[in-house]
Amino acid sequence: MSAAKTATKRYAMTVDTRQCVGCKACVLACKAENAVPDGFCRQWIVEEIRGEFPKLSAEIRSERCNHCTDAPCVKNCPTGASHVNEGGVVLVTHHKCSGCKACIAACPYDARFVHPEGYVDKCTFCLHRVQKGLQPACVGVCPTGTLTFGDASDPESAVSAQLRERSSKVNHPESGAGPNVHFLV
Amino acid sequence: MATSRREFIQIGGAGLGAAALGSGLTTKWWGLDPDVVHDPGTDGDQVIPTFCELCFWKCGVLAHVKDGRVTKLVGNPEHPLSRGRLCPRGTGGTGLLYDPDRLKKPLLRKSTKRGGQDFEEVSWEKALDFTAEKLLKIKKECGPDKVALFSHGFGGSFFKHLLFAYGSGNVTAPSYGQCRGPREVGFNLTYGASLGSPEVLDIAHSRCLTLIGSHLGENMHNTQVQDFAQMIAKGGELVVVDPRFSTAAGKARYWLPIRPGTDMALLLAWIHVILGEGLYDRDYVEKNAIGLEELRAHVADKTPEWAFTETTIPASTIVETARFIAGARPASLIHPGRHVTWYGDDVQRSRAIAILNALLGSWGRRGGIFVPTQLNVPKYPVPDYAEKPKTTQDAPDGVVYPFAEEVLSHGVCDATVPGRIMTKGCPVKGWIVYGSNLLQALPQRKNVEEAIQKLDLLVAIDVLPAEIVGYADVVLPEATYLERWDDVAPVPWSEPFLAIRQQVVPPMYESKPGWWIAKELANRLDLGQYFPWESGEQMVTDRLKAGGYDVEKLKAKGVVKGAPVPVRTDEGLELAFHTPSKKIELYSKQMADAGLPPLPPWTRHEQPADGQFRLLFGRTPTHTFGRTTNNRFLSEVYSENEVWLNAKAAKEQGLVHGEIVTLLNQDGVRSQPVKLKVTQRIRPDCVFVVHGYGHTNPGLKFAAGRGMDDQTLVTRIAVDPVAGTTGMSVNFVTIEKAPGTTAAAAKAEA
Amino acid sequence: MNALLEATTTRTNPGIDPSLHIWGWEIVVYLFLGGLVAGIFVLAAALELKSGEKPRGTALRLMPIVALGLISVGMGALWLDLAHRLWAWRFYLFFHATSPMSWGAWILVLIYPVGLLLGLGSMNDEQRAWLRGKTPGALRGLLTTLFGWADGRRRGILVTSVAMGVALGIYTGLLLGTMPSRILWNSAVLGPLFLASGISTGAALLLLLPLEESERKTLVRWDAVAIVAELVLIALMLLGFATSGEVGQWAASQFLGGPYTAVFFSCVVVLGLLVPLVMEAIEAKRHLPFATILPVLILTGGLALRWILLTAGQHSAFRFLP
């Protein structure tokens, strides 16, 4: 039953919609950690309220780039700036980017944006921190413990446990891109 | 055609060369053109621990400093209140530190009338001399108790000390009379202890948490929200009583959209059901409480059916939720709330909540209310205050509320206007305002402005040009929490700990730390002996050393913890109640003796007429009311408040989502223009705004003019007869399209 | 949108929210010029393949070189669109087979030698002598070699030119068409549509030149075919949208009753396609040449088509659907 841990990591994130209160600590911590320019954000909060007073239901989600397994942004990049790095994390090498924005048009989740310095930017799963054994900034700051990050190919990881134990969904699965941010419902 | 060998080699060579080149194009030149994991470089060369001051929770933070600049603030994993995590405001501290609108130099008023916004920049010397001169004059002519300190924020301790040394006990904060006061009084009367801040609640272990108006999740008090989330993760359930579908309501098992003003009916009906069906913790109540039979008799007629007529919550729901709440006892907590100054019977409502908690057996128990512990730090040796500081409360003909444990801010305000509440002797002549924007905090703005004009001295000590600063005679710019040493004060909590606030970066501009300002004033007031330390740092380190604490370790880690102490019965805590009877007083003889109802009475409050809406206000997670609304970093995710209006009501009024409206209250006061949020998330008889917007001080270059100030519409208050606190959710508004908009013109034409 | 859904987001990224605005007039200009140039390549080469003779008119002979000038202007517009312009050379250190934009970058480079050889080979003796005169002495030998290649491998060059023209004309449509996140671009028809439009606008530009009667007749006939192809492809595109579920129906509705209906049908379908088609039919039957008005309508229609599709596509994010 337990699969052997594969040599290739598959980083993924789970977002527990039961816990998330939409406080935006993640949004701001990410901005602080990654020096995201004013007016831009790499992650955001979506709040959906359904129903009619007084029969209402709510779902709150903390969203960012999904680091898709079959990322259309990477497929469409003409310079190789958009690439898949360690653990399946999709990154942009700044000095290879020409700013053609094909990746922005290709992204089903509109997760990317043009950085004022000219290259295209987005969430990096804080790989620079992960490689040092730290958590991504959003995961570390979240006061409600909504965010979990780890190696989904490792059955012992917290992320794998959550995906086993809880029902989850991804955003717009019909994109076919294979997103790796899962929303626990 | 025969190709020569040379041609073959040429073509072959060219082909291979092209293939090599081509494969380089697809292999990123075999590692010669590697991809990069960019490091944003925000990690500091130094990481200095301190604690936050964006709100009043005091979460431990680690400040990263690089090249003399704070690059980011993260949670201190050692700190029991932040546990390494921060609410959005904590991260936003850099937005305060580097706010270009910060007060930079001391100012003296030039305009003849206070509020004229005309100041001249002066030296500290001149500003402090001016202040001291005026204070000495007031002391000589009227007495030191005619100076009051309004203080909100941890750094105010130096000014409290100064004022006590000066001879006044009039130290107050709107956070009592306009916020938490009734809750503290209600719980003091019942249990002999108040909730404090941070509230001593064991939410993480609750099996059922009932929120009466509290909107945790929009209220981002860090630890409490962390515990709230842990509770949910462990399967704990929520009962949310709120006219608005708050974030918490979205996670609740039961959402009761109660008619505003009727919470008491619901609480009494719940007590009725719980007692009637025997769903209370018999052993606990028998052992620890008195007055059960009086309570039973009191709620005999408070049936769910009756409560429905007042609250609009169906009787069956009231019964079901009563059973649900009680079923989770003793780990069933009725949250006491925080801002509870609503309708004027707020102490009684807090009493009802305290009583209900007692019936559930939650006080002192796991998942309920714990009895805090704290470390001790010896006081710095200073001379005794010359006399017991006098307060306006001691004034013979002022109104005195014997159960109020703190001075009431609006009381001081009233005592400033001759003849308003006192007719003998001098009125209050001087206000020192530390970090408290009285104009947005106190209700009945006209009264506040009138009082301000009557003063001999108004000193504002602040970081940003809040509205009150614009009315001051002298403005003293304080350094932010990241630029100063503050005193050390252990926080009562579930584990004993001590945190320090130390300077992370030097003060910017000409701002100074509070300890310095207070000491300089003391020297000029001939009170230097009360401030014998050379610096805030020296004072604190001396105190810590005297207490046997490792100062260097504390400076490095920011926190020191003590040995665990039982705070709940399951940890070995022995319950003790500091009431006259030494028991939980369900029936309050103290109140009866003071001529006040000893059990919470039901009062039907006035409801808005047709077409009117009750004005409700609350929080948003990214901000601490007006304190952070100029913070450009925090404002990136929320920059302006909106008025929430029920969709059906909006349709009836011909209003659409996103249009600009103004609110007009029952006394004819009109709000600033504000955006309308048409939503299903609120009852049709009330509207909701986030408090703290509608700034008018032009010095707040980002916040000025954004949104509306709800406090200007609080012209009607309901004074609580028990504690004297001011209920403020008693104003009704009508909504009009903002004049000057095309929508208004169209309507006018129609 | 579900009426009983209130959805809010805190993201307000410039250029992304509330809807995409990353490609503007620069891309419209490039798409137009690119299609035009593709058409010129295809038509110039096809005319010669059909007739077996070099072009008669002087202007027509020079069109491949002029086309290189036009595509350079187009590339200039593309370069202006780049957000990180000084790193544009990065296109040429990499080839990504799954990226239509990468294909396009390389096509835009390869089109120069092909166009040069096509153009040099089309020149008559007078033009060649003039060019030789203008060439500095050191390069005259190279020029002679080039003329040699251009003439010696004429058929190969003509076929390659047609292929390059088709590639140039089709890849931009493929680029947009393979972005499923933008609903209005998500059609396999977009590639052929852009090619057909390119051929038509190319023909229109050529029709503005002084031409031999037979050349003109052929171009008018071929343009009519291209226009009919465009009309069929547009119909297929709308039909494809309308029959592919709720998402597609929304896409189709944008042009059938929605915000783009009026401008699309007036500027593109009627003025850009139907009216020219009718004019060409009349011209074929009655031998009445519509000298200037016909090409202008076609060119305007081609520009409008690209502008509308680029704008509407960016406003049709897939994520807007609940």
Side-chain angles (χ1 to χ4, degrees):
Chain A
M1 196 200 112
S2 81
K5 182 174 168 177
T6 56
T8 23
K9 289 190 247 207
R10 172 66 257 175
Y11 285 132
M13 188 180 282
T14 57
V15 179
D16 195 336
T17 63
R18 269 197 237 154
Q19 312 282 88
C20 184
V21 293
C23 71
K24 298 134 197 142
C26 52
V27 176
L28 294 172
C30 166
K31 281 179 70 84
E33 169 69 29
N34 293 295
V36 178
D38 292 345
F40 293 90
C41 62
R42 290 184 175 185
Q43 49 188 291
W44 55 92
I45 298 295
V46 173
E47 189 174 47
E48 291 176 352
I49 309 292
R50 288 182 161 77
E52 199 174 350
F53 177 86
K55 302 246 180 291
L56 299 171
S57 68
E59 183 176 274
I60 308 179
R61 301 189 299 270
S62 164
E63 297 188 354
R64 75 243 341 104
C65 164
N66 292 293
H67 297 274
C68 303
T69 306
D70 194 18
C73 56
V74 172
K75 281 215 291 250
N76 273 283
C77 179
T79 63
S82 285
H83 65 279
V84 180
N85 210 299
E86 184 191 333
V89 174
V90 175
L91 293 184
V92 177
T93 302
H94 301 169
H95 58 262
K96 294 191 186 181
C97 178
S98 64
C100 76
K101 300 163 295 229
C103 55
I104 296 182
C107 177
Y109 306 104
D110 286 337
R112 290 170 168 247
F113 57 89
V114 180
H115 192 285
E117 285 178 17
Y119 51 85
V120 172
D121 203 18
K122 66 179 192 67
C123 162
T124 60
F125 266 176
C126 281
L127 191 59
H128 67 283
R129 286 173 61 94
V130 172
Q131 286 178 335
K132 289 186 236 167
L134 302 169
Q135 291 285 299
C138 55
V139 177
V141 81
C142 177
T144 54
T146 292
L147 304 172
T148 310
F149 175 86
D151 181 5
S153 73
D154 172 8
E156 309 292 314
S157 72
V159 157
S160 297
Q162 296 217 300
L163 290 171
R164 269 197 308 272
E165 291 159 22
R166 298 275 300 271
S167 297
S168 67
K169 61 179 184 179
V170 293
N171 260 346
H172 287 289
E174 65 274 23
S175 72
N180 287 291
V181 173
H182 304 267
F183 298 95
L184 307 175
V185 295
Chain B
M1 208 181 308
T3 22
S4 71
R5 199 164 47 197
R6 182 151 43 108
E7 274 184 11
F8 177 75
I9 291 168
Q10 276 179 352
I11 294 168
L16 279 174
L21 213 68
S23 75
L25 281 175
T26 50
T27 59
K28 301 188 190 183
W29 306 98
W30 313 281
L32 291 174
D33 189 26
D35 286 310
V36 173
V37 178
H38 297 285
D39 189 323
T42 52
D43 284 343
D45 303 319
Q46 290 175 282
V47 179
I48 302 171
T50 181
F51 58 86
C52 187
E53 185 88 7
L54 277 270
C55 86
F56 308 99
W57 207 254
K58 305 182 278 283
C59 295
V61 300
L62 296 173
H64 283 248
V65 184
K66 194 170 182 177
D67 300 328
R69 240 188 120 77
V70 177
T71 50
K72 64 187 176 193
L73 295 157
V74 299
N76 185 346
E78 304 286 323
H79 198 281
L81 295 180
S82 61
R83 305 164 184 163
R85 297 167 183 272
L86 292 180
C87 84
R89 300 158 302 168
T91 304
T94 45
L96 171 64
L97 178 61
Y98 299 118
D99 190 327
D101 300 332
R102 271 178 65 179
L103 296 171
K104 301 177 179 72
K105 288 178 190 258
L107 304 170
L108 277 181
R109 172 167 62 89
K110 263 168 60 182
S111 37
T112 35
K113 192 166 180 230
R114 293 194 176 101
Q117 306 286 358
D118 193 14
F119 291 94
E120 65 169 325
E121 293 176 348
V122 297
S123 66
W124 273 103
E125 186 88 28
K126 188 161 176 196
L128 291 164
D129 284 347
F130 173 91
T131 308
E133 197 183 305
K134 292 258 174 169
L135 285 171
L136 286 171
K137 185 159 186 276
I138 296 172
K139 186 170 186 177
K140 187 156 162 233
E141 289 176 3
C142 289
D145 63 318
K146 300 309 175 187
V147 172
L149 168 69
F150 295 81
S151 172
H152 203 198
F154 192 73
S157 63
F158 298 107
F159 299 96
K160 287 183 196 165
H161 177 53
L162 176 68
L163 220 72
F164 292 148
Y166 173 81
S168 170
N170 278 319
V171 174
T172 178
S175 51
Y176 189 80
Q178 279 68 49
C179 191
R180 294 182 280 122
R183 175 193 80 177
E184 310 301 47
V185 173
F187 272 72
N188 253 322
L189 287 166
T190 313
Y191 295 101
S194 54
L195 281 317
S197 174
E199 285 88 5
V200 292
L201 305 173
D202 188 29
I203 292 172
H205 302 116
S206 302
R207 284 179 55 221
C208 175
L209 176 67
T210 302
L211 303 176
I212 313 285
S214 289
H215 33 283
L216 287 180
E218 287 154 290
N219 165 342
M220 269 317 285
H221 284 131
N222 196 350
T223 333
Q224 217 166 100
V225 176
Q226 292 190 31
D227 288 350
F228 168 81
Q230 281 179 36
M231 180 199 83
I232 292 172
K234 286 190 231 149
E237 300 272 19
L238 280 168
V239 174
V240 172
V241 179
D242 196 323
R244 184 179 65 99
F245 189 69
S246 59
T247 299
K251 299 183 189 302
R253 171 79 174 264
Y254 293 98
W255 171 46
L256 277 50
I258 196 166
R259 175 185 280 155
T262 66
D263 311 88
M264 184 69 89
L266 177 66
L267 291 165
L268 293 173
W270 273 345
I271 295 172
H272 171 100
V273 173
I274 288 173
L275 286 180
E277 297 188 9
L279 299 173
Y280 62 101
D281 191 329
R282 281 176 201 275
D283 289 341
Y284 178 94
V285 172
E286 212 160 293
K287 189 165 170 233
N288 298 300
I290 55 166
L292 182 64
E293 292 318 308
E294 290 90 329
L295 178 66
R296 202 189 290 274
H298 179 74
V299 298
D301 60 340
K302 305 290 185 291
T303 61
E305 290 71 23
W306 160 80
F308 160 70
T309 62
E310 300 293 348
T311 62
T312 73
I313 306 294
S316 57
T317 308
I318 295 177
V319 173
E320 194 177 328
T321 47
R323 291 175 183 160
F324 184 76
I325 289 168
R329 71 185 187 277
S332 184
L333 173 63
I334 314 291
H335 194 295
R338 191 174 169 98
H339 171 90
V340 291
T341 45
W342 299 352
Y343 313 116
D345 60 344
D346 308 304
V347 174
Q348 294 289 8
R349 188 182 63 256
S350 296
R351 276 267 299 142
I353 291 174
I355 288 168
L356 191 45
N357 275 308
L359 296 181
L360 297 168
S362 67
W363 203 94
R365 313 279 282 286
R366 184 182 159 92
I369 301 158
F370 64 84
V371 178
T373 176
Q374 65 185 95
L375 285 178
N376 280 312
V377 183
K379 289 202 191 311
Y380 199 97
V382 288
D384 288 336
Y385 298 127
E387 46 190 286
K388 176 181 177 294
K390 290 189 283 183
T391 82
T392 311
Q393 296 244 76
D394 302 325
D397 67 340
V399 182
V400 176
Y401 295 93
F403 295 117
E405 302 261 301
E406 290 186 28
V407 176
L408 300 163
S409 295
H410 55 288
V412 171
C413 184
D414 283 343
T416 307
V417 179
R420 200 189 273 167
I421 57 168
M422 291 166 53
T423 49
K424 286 191 238 150
C426 281
V428 168
K429 288 273 180 183
W431 289 2
I432 303 176
V433 183
Y434 176 84
S436 180
N437 191 13
L438 298 180
L439 286 159
Q440 275 198 345
L442 292 175
Q444 301 183 316
R445 185 155 171 156
K446 270 213 185 69
N447 289 356
V448 182
E449 289 186 8
E450 189 190 342
I452 286 174
Q453 300 302 344
K454 292 273 189 286
L455 290 166
D456 279 0
L457 173 66
L458 177 55
V459 184
I461 305 165
D462 215 319
V463 174
L464 286 165
E467 277 68 33
I468 188 67
V469 171
Y471 282 77
D473 300 329
V474 53
V475 178
L476 304 175
E478 198 196 10
T480 65
Y481 71 105
L482 291 168
E483 300 160 312
R484 66 188 200 229
W485 272 86
D486 273 345
D487 202 353
V488 63
V491 173
W493 193 237
S494 55
E495 58 180 308
F497 76 96
L498 189 61
I500 55 159
R501 175 171 286 158
Q502 59 185 325
Q503 181 177 298
V504 171
V505 283
M508 288 175 73
Y509 317 115
E510 286 179 39
S511 68
K512 294 278 184 207
W515 67 259
W516 182 91
I517 300 173
K519 185 177 163 72
E520 288 290 314
L521 281 172
N523 288 341
R524 289 165 169 79
L525 294 170
D526 200 22
L527 299 169
Q529 67 274 31
Y530 291 96
F531 289 77
W533 42 82
E534 291 305 310
S535 67
E537 180 172 0
Q538 181 242 308
M539 185 264 263
V540 170
T541 49
D542 283 0
R543 284 188 69 189
L544 291 170
K545 283 193 196 127
Y549 294 100
D550 182 342
V551 177
E552 290 314 305
K553 191 163 170 207
L554 200 47
K555 277 162 110 171
K557 299 213 87 112
V559 188
V560 72
K561 293 188 221 184
V565 167
V567 296
R568 303 188 310 242
T569 53
D570 64 308
E571 292 174 345
L573 172 78
E574 297 281 345
L575 292 178
F577 305 98
H578 305 293
T579 53
S581 62
K582 301 280 181 259
K583 299 248 183 202
I584 300 174
E585 301 196 348
L586 302 173
Y587 174 94
S588 175
K589 183 168 179 302
Q590 295 182 77
M591 293 175 82
D593 291 344
L596 296 161
L599 286 161
W602 157 250
T603 313
R604 181 181 296 131
H605 298 296
E606 188 190 337
Q607 293 293 338
D610 272 334
Q612 277 187 329
F613 306 91
R614 185 185 298 267
L615 177 65
L616 300 174
F617 39 86
R619 299 175 182 255
T620 192
T622 351
H623 287 287
T624 312
F625 305 140
R627 202 173 167 79
T628 59
T629 40
N630 203 57
N631 186 319
R632 289 156 176 82
F633 184 51
L634 291 177
S635 296
E636 287 211 28
V637 285
Y638 188 94
S639 62
E640 199 166 327
N641 62 359
E642 322 167 274
V643 174
W644 292 40
L645 177 66
N646 174 280
K648 257 208 194 87
K651 196 157 173 204
E652 278 165 26
Q653 300 263 318
L655 297 166
V656 298
H657 178 73
E659 74 169 289
I660 312 294
V661 297
T662 57
L663 306 186
L664 187 68
N665 85 349
Q666 73 282 336
D667 296 326
V669 177
R670 187 182 291 278
S671 77
Q672 297 126 318
V674 63
K675 234 186 272 190
L676 187 69
K677 176 183 165 104
V678 172
T679 176
Q680 297 288 345
R681 293 175 69 175
I682 191 168
R683 283 177 60 101
D685 56 5
C686 50
V687 292
F688 171 85
V689 283
V690 169
H691 175 69
Y693 282 88
H695 282 285
T696 51
N697 191 324
L700 294 170
K701 296 206 178 69
F702 181 83
R706 279 182 205 267
M708 64 163 270
D709 177 6
D710 52 298
Q711 198 66 346
T712 56
L713 298 178
V714 181
T715 49
R716 191 156 72 185
I717 56 172
V719 178
D720 191 306
V722 181
T725 53
T726 58
M728 296 185 284
S729 305
V730 292
N731 290 276
F732 306 134
V733 297
T734 53
I735 309 176
E736 294 173 11
K737 292 176 190 282
T741 59
T742 46
K747 191 163 188 212
E749 259 174 60
Chain C
M1 274 302 247
N2 186 349
L4 293 178
L5 168 66
E6 292 172 27
T8 54
T9 173
T10 61
R11 194 185 70 202
T12 52
N13 282 338
I16 311 293
D17 303 297
S19 63
L20 202 64
H21 183 74
I22 48 165
W23 288 329
W25 68 265
E26 298 91 339
I27 301 302
V28 175
V29 165
Y30 166 69
L31 289 177
F32 177 68
L33 290 176
L36 197 68
V37 166
I40 292 171
F41 268 64
V42 167
L43 292 169
L47 272 176
E48 194 173 315
L49 281 167
K50 175 178 182 257
S51 69
E53 292 171 355
K54 300 268 172 89
R56 303 275 180 79
T58 322
L60 197 52
R61 285 172 176 269
L62 290 175
M63 277 319 286
I65 304 296
V66 171
L68 288 183
L70 288 173
I71 201 64
S72 302
V73 173
M75 281 184 86
L78 277 186
W79 185 78
L80 286 177
D81 168 79
L82 293 178
H84 216 203
R85 283 179 205 152
L86 299 181
W87 282 263
W89 50 274
R90 274 289 181 179
F91 283 114
Y92 302 109
L93 280 190
F94 196 59
F95 173 67
H96 202 177
T98 55
S99 164
M101 190 157 307
S102 187
W103 281 93
W106 286 101
I107 289 169
L108 285 170
V109 157
L110 293 173
I111 207 154
Y112 281 86
V114 173
L116 183 65
L117 290 174
L118 180 67
L120 288 177
S122 302
M123 287 173 149
N124 59 21
D125 297 324
E126 228 180 283
Q127 292 165 329
R128 291 183 191 214
W130 175 88
L131 183 59
R132 194 166 281 126
K134 291 288 175 190
T135 310
L139 294 173
R140 288 220 182 116
L142 176 63
L143 191 62
T144 312
T145 316
L146 290 175
F147 274 125
W149 286 352
D151 294 330
R153 296 165 171 79
R154 188 64 179 170
R155 192 181 162 78
I157 288 168
L158 291 173
V159 170
T160 311
S161 299
V162 172
M164 288 298 320
V166 168
L168 179 64
I170 226 177
Y171 96 87
T172 48
L174 281 180
L175 196 158
L176 298 182
T178 54
M179 301 219 166
S181 350
R182 312 297 148 195
I183 301 166
L184 273 170
W185 291 340
N186 192 15
S187 169
V189 149
L190 222 55
L193 177 60
F194 273 31
L195 176 62
S197 173
I199 290 173
S200 176
T201 47
L205 187 66
L206 294 178
L207 286 171
L208 284 172
L209 305 170
L211 297 168
E212 292 283 304
E213 185 60 33
S214 59
E215 286 172 337
R216 191 188 167 83
K217 266 171 93 167
T218 313
L219 279 175
V220 165
R221 205 170 66 232
W222 284 354
D223 184 47
V225 169
I227 289 176
V228 169
E230 279 186 78
L231 287 165
V232 168
L233 288 168
I234 287 171
L236 282 176
M237 183 176 83
L238 293 176
L239 190 67
F241 284 144
T243 53
S244 55
E246 204 183 321
V247 170
Q249 276 166 30
W250 176 85
S253 72
Q254 297 298 293
F255 293 112
L256 299 168
Y260 295 97
T261 313
V263 66
F264 184 70
F265 277 92
S266 60
C267 296
V268 178
V269 177
V270 172
L271 291 177
L273 296 173
L274 288 174
V275 168
L277 188 64
V278 165
M279 283 178 164
E280 285 172 348
I282 293 172
E283 186 169 321
K285 283 229 144 118
R286 303 286 166 93
H287 309 284
L288 291 169
F290 291 92
T292 321
I293 183 75
L294 171 64
V296 166
L297 283 176
I298 293 171
L299 287 167
T300 318
L303 189 65
L305 171 70
R306 283 159 178 77
W307 182 83
I308 291 167
L309 280 178
L310 196 72
T311 312
Q314 287 181 86
H315 288 161
S316 68
F318 164 99
R319 66 178 170 96
F320 288 152
L321 302 172

